[in-house]
């Protein structure tokens, strides 16, 4: 259990705490605690990947758990935001559907011995989703227009990154059908 794997595990452990503070109405600071937990969890994602690549600490556990931890964190946040009526459910469905499609696509590719690396579109998508989630957690009326713009940009990047993955890797599905 190296440092990147510990950071990934820590991110997963933070998710229930994040959800509790997002949905609880215990103190006046719940949303700020949830925001802090989300930011810390998001930063562990950047840090674990950086450390794993820089120090050659890439493991099978990390390859499996890191993307799963990311999806759990983002999906948990988006579902909480739907519950709080801060984002339309259909947008969350599109975002989560994209994650399932890409995960399934990667699984098929893996069965064919092909590794599908993250694209720049996917990285932009993730960045915009994280910023969008932070803005929606903070729920600052003064930033309402900016939050809406970031939400639409995140949705657009979600669709673009999906199309990009499918087009660039269309041969993977052809190979699996043989």
């Amino acid at each position: 259990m190296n440092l990147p794997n510990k950071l990934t595990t820590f991110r997963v452990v933070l998710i229930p705490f994040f959800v509790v503070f997002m949905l609880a109405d215990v103190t006046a600071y719940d949303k700020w605690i949830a925001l802090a937990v989300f930011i810390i969890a998001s930063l562990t994602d950047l840090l674990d990947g950086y450390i794993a690549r820089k120090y050659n600490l890439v493991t099978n556990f990390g390859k499996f758990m890191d993307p799963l931890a990311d999806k759990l964190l983002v999906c948990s946040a988006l579902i909480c935001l739907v519950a709080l009526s801060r984002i339309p459910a259909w947008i969350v469905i599109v975002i989560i559907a994209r994650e399932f499609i890409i995960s399934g696509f990667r699984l098929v590719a893996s069965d064919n011995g092909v590794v599908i690396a993250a694209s720049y579109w996917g990285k932009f998508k993730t960045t915009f989703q994280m910023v969008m989630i932070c803005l929606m957690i903070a729920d600052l009326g003064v930033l309402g227009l900016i939050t809406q713009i970031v939400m639409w940009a995140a949705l657009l990047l979600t669709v673009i990154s999906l199309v990009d993955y499918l087009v660039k890797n269309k041969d993977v599905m052809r190979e699996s059908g043989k």
Side-chain angles (χ1 to χ4, degrees):
M1 184 59 77
N2 61 33
L3 181 57
N5 291 344
K6 288 178 182 175
L7 289 169
T8 298
T9 303
F10 180 61
R11 183 161 64 256
V12 172
V13 169
L14 286 176
I15 294 169
F17 293 98
F18 166 76
V19 170
V20 166
F21 284 107
M22 274 296 289
L23 300 178
D25 194 13
V26 179
T27 74
Y29 304 105
D30 290 338
K31 78 175 180 181
W32 300 113
I33 296 169
L35 179 60
V37 171
F38 184 81
I39 290 170
I40 290 166
S42 298
L43 290 175
T44 65
D45 180 31
L46 290 173
L47 197 55
D48 67 8
Y50 172 78
I51 293 170
R53 285 185 299 278
K54 181 171 181 172
Y55 297 103
N56 197 26
L57 297 172
V58 176
T59 64
N60 286 334
F61 176 86
K63 287 179 193 176
F64 173 73
M65 280 305 296
D66 181 62
L68 181 59
D70 298 344
K71 286 171 185 36
L72 288 171
L73 176 64
V74 170
C75 290
S76 297
L78 291 171
I79 292 167
C80 288
L81 290 167
V82 168
L84 297 170
S85 300
R86 295 189 194 160
I87 187 170
W90 72 269
I91 291 177
V92 173
I93 291 168
V94 169
I95 291 170
I96 292 174
R98 182 256 184 220
E99 297 307 325
F100 275 101
I101 291 166
I102 295 300
S103 293
F105 203 71
R106 282 192 165 129
L107 187 59
V108 169
S110 174
D111 283 348
N112 292 320
V114 176
V115 175
I116 299 177
S119 72
Y120 286 107
W121 286 112
K123 292 178 184 196
F124 291 141
K125 178 251 339 160
T126 300
T127 301
F128 270 81
Q129 284 179 359
M130 297 295 191
V131 171
M132 173 191 76
I133 290 167
C134 288
L135 288 169
M136 288 182 172
I137 292 169
D139 193 27
L140 300 173
V142 70
L143 296 177
L145 178 61
I146 293 170
T147 302
Q148 289 295 308
I149 292 168
V150 172
M151 178 187 72
W152 290 110
L155 180 63
L156 181 63
L157 289 168
T158 296
V159 172
I160 289 171
S161 68
L162 172 62
V163 171
D164 180 59
Y165 275 109
L166 296 177
V167 168
K168 284 183 180 173
N169 299 288
K170 62 184 175 290
D171 294 337
V172 170
M173 293 308 278
R174 286 190 191 128
E175 290 298 317
S176 68
K178 291 182 181 179

